[in-house]
Amino acid sequence: MNEISPGNDPGNDAVAQAAQRLLSASAHRIPCPPVRDLIGSDDVKAAYAVQELLTAHRLEAGGQVTGRKIGLTSPAVQRQLGVAQPDFGVLFADMSVPDGASVPVAELLQPKVEAEIAFVLGADLAEGPLDDAQVRDAVAQAVPALEIVDSRIADWDITFGDTVADNGSSALYVLGSSARPLTDFEPVEADMTLKRHGETVSTGNGAACLGDPLTALGWLARTARDVGDPLRAGQVVLSGALGPMVPAAAGDVFTADISGLGSVSVRFHAARPEGVSA
């Protein structure tokens, strides 16, 4: 595992140490203490600086960015984690899991599942007012999605700073097989039911995601442009949880149904199936 260097600025020591702590936890699959002792609980600049270091490290290792995830959009999830504002993380190609596939829990630390609406962009969101109309027009299609979140921080003992630094507590994502243009689907009107082994474990709706998943997308578009890395055509955006996240364990099968959009599922198993490489 390569070390993360603070560079030539001694002021970056805390950021580099936080990134290294999270990187080690991920590499060894052993949850670590929170990083707020290094960067604070609500220092937005420091938290995203850690995330950027980890993103750069992943890109240097050959990672390919496929989009972004928006987190902490649901009041239910905010209450679960004790935070009160959205955040974002980066999606990579190796985080994508096929619909209905099985995920080895041994490759995760303390996973949870949440159901979302994903947007596939058909146009850049880099210029112009980035208002509601432009954001809506930029969406090529909406897709049912599951996000498998997974904190590198022990016992999910996180503040806003901890989860932002940890790439929004991201791990994997699953896109469903169905897709709809926004002419045929209104995200704010969607109802979501998440089932585990056929039993309902989470419910919600589009209004639970910052009032409207498209509002969340607009927030991300403006935020991403402000930090100099705007959203681009072809990217996937996970718009945020529609209801409470649910812990996942080996043997679990989750299926999310989103009205007007379709369903998406994922399984979890204890060990990697024979013949399947890492």
Side-chain angles (χ1 to χ4, degrees):
M1 179 183 68
N2 294 331
E3 296 291 318
I4 289 181
S5 169
N8 297 322
D9 184 356
N12 290 334
D13 282 350
V15 168
Q17 290 172 29
Q20 189 64 53
R21 184 182 296 177
L22 292 166
L23 181 63
S24 297
S26 180
H28 299 295
R29 297 192 178 92
I30 299 174
C32 65
V35 296
R36 55 184 176 267
D37 64 317
L38 296 168
I39 62 169
S41 299
D42 53 12
D43 187 331
V44 175
K45 183 178 179 180
Y48 279 111
V50 176
Q51 184 184 124
E52 289 169 8
L53 267 183
L54 291 170
T55 296
H57 184 273
R58 199 158 178 169
L59 290 172
E60 289 170 3
Q64 295 181 325
V65 173
T66 55
R68 305 284 180 85
K69 62 149 286 180
I70 310 171
L72 309 179
T73 56
S74 163
V77 173
Q78 289 180 354
R79 286 192 298 271
Q80 279 184 304
L81 300 182
V83 298
Q85 57 183 312
D87 69 351
F88 69 84
V90 180
L91 300 179
F92 291 87
D94 61 0
M95 295 169 62
S96 178
V97 175
D99 188 10
S102 189
V103 173
V105 293
E107 295 188 359
L108 301 167
L109 285 81
Q110 39 192 353
K112 300 175 186 282
V113 174
E114 54 190 29
E116 311 190 13
I117 295 169
F119 296 117
V120 180
L121 299 182
D124 292 351
L125 285 170
E127 306 292 339
L130 302 186
D131 56 12
D132 292 349
Q134 183 181 357
V135 168
R136 176 182 284 270
D137 288 346
V139 175
Q141 56 190 21
V143 184
L146 294 171
E147 184 181 1
I148 301 168
V149 291
D150 189 19
S151 180
R152 267 54 64 174
I153 293 169
D155 302 319
W156 281 87
D157 178 17
I158 61 175
T159 62
F160 181 80
D162 294 306
T163 189
V164 167
D166 192 21
N167 198 30
S169 303
S170 62
L172 305 169
Y173 66 96
V174 188
L175 299 182
S177 303
S178 58
R180 298 283 186 276
L182 294 187
T183 53
D184 298 338
F185 171 71
E186 189 58 53
V188 71
E189 297 176 358
D191 291 316
M192 180 277 295
T193 302
L194 178 64
K195 295 183 178 181
R196 180 172 54 198
H197 302 302
E199 178 182 353
T200 298
V201 289
S202 180
T203 59
N205 54 51
C209 180
L210 284 188
D212 185 334
L214 288 171
T215 299
L217 177 59
W219 170 84
L220 176 63
R222 292 184 290 274
T223 302
R225 184 173 67 178
D226 287 346
V227 300
D229 190 13
L231 300 177
R232 299 297 183 182
Q235 290 187 333
V236 174
V237 174
L238 302 182
S239 62
L242 301 179
M245 56 186 180
V246 180
D252 285 345
V253 180
F254 288 91
T255 300
D257 292 294
I258 298 177
S259 63
L261 193 55
S263 63
V264 56
S265 66
V266 71
R267 300 170 177 267
F268 292 85
H269 63 266
R272 188 177 297 114
E274 186 176 352
V276 177
S277 59

